[in-house]
Amino acid sequence: FPDIVWQFARLGAATTLTLSDNAFRTLPTSVAHMPSLATLVVSHNSLAQLPPMTGMRALITLDLSRNGLKAVPEVLCRDPPPCLQDLFLGFNQLRTLPPSIGAISSLRL
């Protein structure tokens, strides 16, 4: 798996990446350095954290649903992708959303 994602990251041309149903606990940091990626679907995994996403300048849609998340990953609120509009968090173990999520001005409600 890491070799395939690294190839995408090196090309930098991928706009959609689906890594669902893989039991991932973390994402390879190379995913966060895909500047053309507009949609990242990582649903149905076991993610507890995300790598810094500062290199994901084009990311519009992030699907984190069905991961068992107990909290919104800190990195997402602290330094979100600038174009993020659609954030899917359904079917996790979230009880509340952090107030800082409101600071992501590009999110659509």
Side-chain angles (χ1 to χ4, degrees):
F1 157 77
D3 292 336
I4 293 169
V5 174
W6 177 246
Q7 291 301 321
F8 279 123
R10 282 184 48 203
L11 293 173
T15 59
T16 299
L17 182 59
T18 300
L19 299 172
S20 298
D21 294 303
N22 285 292
F24 295 137
R25 293 185 183 273
T26 61
L27 289 177
T29 55
S30 59
V31 171
H33 299 287
M34 298 176 72
S36 299
L37 196 65
T39 301
L40 177 59
V41 180
V42 289
S43 61
H44 296 86
N45 282 292
S46 298
L47 296 176
Q49 59 184 353
L50 296 173
M53 304 178 90
T54 53
M56 302 180 88
R57 296 181 302 275
L59 191 68
I60 295 170
T61 302
L62 177 59
D63 186 348
L64 296 171
S65 61
R66 298 183 187 272
N67 270 289
L69 292 172
K70 293 181 179 167
V72 175
E74 256 184 64
V75 68
L76 191 57
C77 295
R78 186 179 61 240
D79 199 10
C83 297
L84 187 63
Q85 294 179 7
D86 303 310
L87 176 61
F88 298 97
L89 295 167
F91 300 98
N92 280 294
Q93 297 175 14
L94 302 173
R95 294 183 188 237
T96 62
L97 293 175
S100 57
I101 203 164
I104 305 174
S105 59
S106 57
L107 276 180
R108 292 191 286 197
L109 300 177

